Amino acid sequence: MDQDHLRALLAQVSAGAVDVDAALERLRHMPFEDLGFAKVDHHRALRHGIPEVVFGPGKTPDQVSSIVSSLLARAQNVLVTRATAETAQRIQHEHRDAEHFSASGAVRIWRDRTIRGKGKIAVVCAGTSDLPVAEEAQITAEVMGNDVETFHDVGVAGIHRLMHSRERLTEARVVIVCAGMEGALPSVVGGLVAVPVIAVPTSVGYGASFQGLAALLGMLNSCASNVTVVNIDNGFGAGYVASLMNRL
């Protein structure tokens, strides 16, 4: 339940459309619901403006299913990240409107598509191999109420591809840039736009890339002052923070 839903409920109580006992029942599991193996944080949307997201790895399909059902009882949208194929199939069987994005493993139920961001979020992907991370960022930002535009395969090895989209990039309010190898692309994008750039190092690359460590260090040392960095392969974190920035 977010602020809008809580405000609407209180207005219904005030108008007599919902009695006090019914309202208490709807609020009974705030701030969390104890499922035994998980304490589902129904209060997070009130605190952050964005509901809790389910991290798939390490959870069984039964556990994810129970958490998703609990969240959907009180929210319109639910996002699961890094879900296995078995878990995704289970959610889609139980919720027919669930979407599965196989590249990133994201599963979303997107019933409230209200745009809450003040502008556009751009998700820039250096190479095709970085697409799973970029997709996670895109799906996260979209389900959290943002207009998202994607720019794929525009890495520095063919910089003219990025320059071709320069004008569209400058229309974004926040830019997410996913890149592996040496991680140079966020610095280039940072020099082209006047908005925050969230750099996402990916684990794509050969031996000395050290599973994304080289890209991470390169991005942390960016000379573009509008670049900040999240963890390796953390497309979700980038999409989440971009959503918060886009609401300011």
Side-chain angles (χ1 to χ4, degrees):
M1 178 177 289
D2 60 18
Q3 292 186 22
D4 291 339
H5 288 99
L6 181 57
R7 186 177 290 109
L9 175 60
L10 294 175
Q12 289 174 328
V13 172
S14 177
V18 174
D19 63 39
V20 173
D21 289 338
L24 285 173
E25 179 61 26
R26 290 166 67 174
L27 296 172
R28 183 168 61 90
H29 292 299
M30 293 180 65
F32 66 86
E33 179 180 1
D34 193 345
L35 301 181
F37 58 87
K39 292 179 173 62
V40 182
D41 186 0
H42 296 300
H43 196 258
R44 191 168 304 183
L46 283 173
R47 299 195 315 271
H48 292 182
I50 296 172
E52 181 177 12
V53 173
V54 185
F55 181 64
K59 296 182 178 71
T60 67
D62 285 344
Q63 290 172 332
V64 175
S65 171
S66 295
I67 295 170
V68 167
S69 295
S70 174
L71 288 168
L72 279 176
R74 295 159 188 84
Q76 293 293 307
N77 299 337
V78 170
L79 175 64
V80 181
T81 62
R82 313 287 173 98
T84 64
E86 181 183 3
T87 296
Q89 290 171 4
R90 171 74 174 271
I91 297 172
Q92 288 186 297
H93 176 74
E94 294 174 346
H95 308 281
R96 295 300 182 181
D97 54 345
E99 303 171 274
H100 177 218
F101 300 86
S102 58
S104 61
V107 179
R108 76 176 172 193
I109 299 169
W110 193 15
R111 295 171 181 171
D112 179 3
R113 303 199 175 198
T114 304
I115 297 297
R116 304 183 189 280
K118 294 182 179 179
K120 185 183 298 181
I121 294 176
V123 177
V124 181
C125 178
T128 304
S129 298
D130 303 307
L131 275 174
V133 177
E135 180 180 85
E136 184 176 75
Q138 174 192 348
I139 299 308
T140 299
E142 286 178 344
V143 79
M144 292 179 178
N146 298 281
D147 181 13
V148 180
E149 184 171 7
T150 59
F151 302 83
H152 294 159
D153 198 23
V154 292
V156 296
I159 199 67
H160 58 290
R161 300 172 298 179
L162 177 67
M163 301 308 293
H164 179 73
S165 302
R166 180 179 179 179
E167 288 187 8
R168 288 161 56 206
L169 269 177
T170 60
E171 296 172 358
R173 202 162 181 265
V174 186
V175 182
I176 298 169
V177 183
C178 306
M181 302 291 185
E182 82 289 356
L185 186 59
S187 292
V188 176
V189 174
L192 295 175
V193 301
V195 297
V197 174
I198 304 172
V200 189
T202 73
S203 52
V204 172
Y206 298 102
S209 69
F210 298 110
Q211 294 78 51
L213 181 59
L216 172 63
L217 294 175
M219 293 173 183
L220 287 171
N221 285 283
S222 174
C223 61
S225 301
N226 55 339
V227 173
T228 190
V229 189
V230 296
N231 208 349
I232 298 168
D233 291 336
N234 191 10
F236 161 72
Y240 193 103
V241 172
S243 296
L244 293 176
M245 288 180 174
N246 198 29
R247 294 185 182 192
L248 295 175

